[in-house]
Amino acid sequence: VVRGSVLAWGLTEKRGFVCVWAGVVFLSEVPVFTEEPLSVVQKLGGSVVLRCSTQPPSANISWRLNGRELVAGAVGELGVVLEPGTLLIPALTNLTLGRYQCVASTNAGALVSVPANVIAAKLRDFEQDDQQDIEVDEGNTAVIVCHLPESQPKAQVRYSVKQEWLETSKGNYLIMPSGNLQIANATLDDEGPYKCAAYNPVTQEVKTSTSTDRLRIRRSTSEAAHIIYPPVSRSIMVTKGQRLVLECVASGIPTPQVTWAKDGQDLRFHNNTRFLLSNLLIDSAGEGDSGTYACHADNGIGSESAATVMYDVLVFEPPQVTVELQQQEVMWGENARFSCQARGKPTPSVVWLHNARPLATSPRHRLSARVLRVINVGPQDDGLYQCMAENGVGSSQAAARLVTLPTSNPSRSGKLKSSLCPLSPDKVLREQVPVKPGATGSMLTLDCSELTGQISVAEAPVILSQPRTVKADFYDLTWKPRHDGGSAVVEYIVKYRKVKAGEWTSSCISGALHKLTLAKLQPASLYEVEMSAKNCAGLGQPAMMTFRTGKVPSPRLSPPEAPDKPTISTATETSAYVTWIPRGNRGFPIQSFRVEFKKLKGKGGGEWEVAVTNIPPQRLSVEITGLEKGMSYKFRVLAVNVIGASPPSVPSKAYTVLGGGRPNERPVDGPYITYNEAINETTIILKWTYTAVNNTPVYGFYIFYRPTDSDNDSDYKKDVVEGDRYWHSISDLQPETAYDIKMQSFNEGGESEFGNVVILETKARLNQRPSPSETSSQRPEHSGGPVPRPSDLPYLIVGVVLGALVFIIVAFIPFCLWRAWAKEKEMSDLCFPAVASPVSSCQYTMVPLQGLALVGHCPLDPHLPPPHAVYPPIALYTSNGKHHRPTHCLPGLHQVRLSSIPIGNLSSPSSCLVLLTDKSLLGAYQFWAHCFS
């Protein structure tokens, strides 16, 4: 500080200017970061290097860890090495993990860099999972899903295929960014087991999944198109600039055709999209790629609407400060105002800093996300003010300098302008053009007193923006300068307001900028704008325009999706960390999270209670304290936006706090199934009861089921029912199939014995068969009906055997009839009387034994009795009223005693009597005829 009484400007030997005013010297060396530290993921024991550089190079560089200065003593204790422009961690430990920031200081003030997180690399184990049998039609694409475990950084996937580990896509095997394996044009050669593994590139650890999936290829004559991945619609979040891959795999016979649409518009001719098999690729996602995507598959069979799946895509953007801060000179006792408009998705949080120290709301400092007001400024308020914006995707910052001046300064009259604009042409104007992190700042120097010739005010700028925007809450105002009147434009003054409503909102923009974003506007409203250019001659005439904002789209007014199932890890003896991953926000940013817990005690456990609320959206982990030793807990997470709270997540696994005595023993008895019913051809419902033994708590129930005709225990599938619910529905079953069902109860000690076993058969599928004419004239409709399964083979064998037996019987009947006819004919040919006179062969009739009136007709013979003779119903036949026994028998035949057969009246002059001789295979009786007179 040099005392003096003159006002002068001069160029120092060092970079920058010196302003000597009222005896005070100001060095104008405002630091600007040219390189800021970057976040690092490293394994414990590995080395980490963070770099930071500024302009001017003479700025003093220091470092902070988790908001605390790294002083000499702490540096030695942590084992950190500080060198000019770098921070070296030779061996990373838990003590050196955290949030690092670089601080640059000059005599103008201090600035802090955006944070760099140093994170320990890790790879967790795969969660327990059951083997999946995956079926796909031959010639279609198969999908093997791999649920990668939590990893820092993201794990790389490996697949075991035919006793070979695949690290990258090969042949018809395509490894997707999600970790899924897609097998294009699957054939019988692709059948077999598949297993996935996770590889951490930093720790170089490899962990394999606990189960092996098996792929089966089926051959169907026709099948309606259906989506096999993803099984349900889902939400995807991607950072701006990253590659976006939307997977969609369909199956059917014939192979279905897959098409994509975004917000109802076909994407086949969109320049920004590419297709890999049936998957959609966007190489660099932008803000305009947010929306609803629909994948549709069709092969001409079945309902078209059934083969559609939706993706809700939300593109996240790192923060950007859309209006840079302006430097200010303010007299002591007056107020200073700084504005900071930050954009990003999710909406960034804003922190204000003064000389690299965070500011808190106080009577002299009034803070909001957009404005900082400093009341009754004094010399202690000199320095650099920063607006730091963060939203979990990235960070951004902007800075401005505040110079306070004593009120006794005779060279000042009236109130000072809020910006460092020239007060008159003979004053010196200096302004720093805003720069982005990583760029070198440049100083704009302008001395109006050195201008020669006549100058005039600058003409009104030309506004280039369109008068209408589809955006509902902000508007990008762009312009270009006109004739500057002989003096460069120093700044632009922009005013805007809603037409005929409200007060003007003003902004002072550097003359080097030609774009301004007007934020927090009202949707479907008309605004007016006035803007003027200012140079050394003063403020020019304004340019005016009006614009209308767009309407708010009508999204589904619903809370966010439930977060993923949380994971629990030990923090201390009486606390635990709860960690979760959020899902889609359904159009409205997530504002906070809420964690709830439930004590597991007794039969059904306690009620859900709130553990922590109002958790910031960028935090995805929280410590739950005050847990009771020996008690078991479950946790769940809810996401909250402006609409409300999401459904709760799936409860976590039971977590038992150690130190409260021995843990609970496993349950003894399993639940007893009291009710079961088939709801339809694929769904059954169960109800059960459970009685605790020795007050042993249970956390839930396991339900095991498999087809009854299976003898393999590995065919059992398992459903898990957690909590105190005593009913469950099992779906996705095969129609008209019997299932064995049994249950267990479980807690942290293990599983109980199985309860009772029930057998229940699903209902038959109702199919309408077309008539043969319809079948032959047109292709039958197919709605994705059942395909023959391996378990149907026994029924097929039984059907073939029974069919063969029926065929043999049907073929044997005509043969038996022919044999009987031949034998009867032979007997008829031998039926002649014993007398010498020839008699014609007689006709015969077969009758049952119960005695029917039987009449046989022979040719006319004079030796036969009169036509109306009556024979008694006995085996002795009379002629002329006398009893007569036939005495003529054929050779080789013995005479048998006949049962009483009523004969009735003869209907012809000559007749023959049919006598019983033998029993036929058909259950009737065969007779031979004896002709007599």
Side-chain angles (χ1 to χ4, degrees), residues 180 193 249 310 320 473 475 479 564 598 604 632 645 649 654 742 820:
N180 297 337
V249 179
M310 312 294 286
Q320 292 181 349
D473 58 348
Y475 179 76
W479 64 88
D564 285 342
K598 180 173 72 170
S632 297
S649 67
K742 58 184 180 180

Side-chain angles (χ1 to χ4, degrees), residues 813-829 844 846 920 922 926:
I813 289 174
F815 176 74
C816 293
L817 292 175
W818 177 80
R819 286 286 306 271
W821 175 82
K823 190 172 182 181
E824 291 166 0
K825 188 176 185 302
E826 181 181 358
M827 291 295 184
S828 299
D829 292 341
Y844 68 91
M846 296 173 58
S920 70
L922 301 177
Q926 184 169 341

Side-chain angles (χ1 to χ4, degrees), residues 5 16 27 56 88 105 120 137 182 349 381 430 495 570 585 666 712 754 786 789 833 892 906:
S5 59
L27 271 180
L88 172 63
S105 304
D137 295 311
Q182 295 189 10
S349 59
D381 297 315
R430 297 185 61 258
K495 300 191 301 180
T570 301
N585 59 20
R666 72 180 185 92
N712 190 353
F754 286 104
R789 310 182 307 276
L906 296 177

Side-chain angles (χ1 to χ4, degrees), residues 312-329:
D312 285 329
V313 175
L314 182 62
V315 179
F316 281 175
E317 297 180 64
Q320 292 181 349
V321 177
T322 58
V323 177
E324 302 290 348
L325 304 179
Q326 302 297 313
Q327 301 189 48
Q328 300 184 34
E329 283 183 338

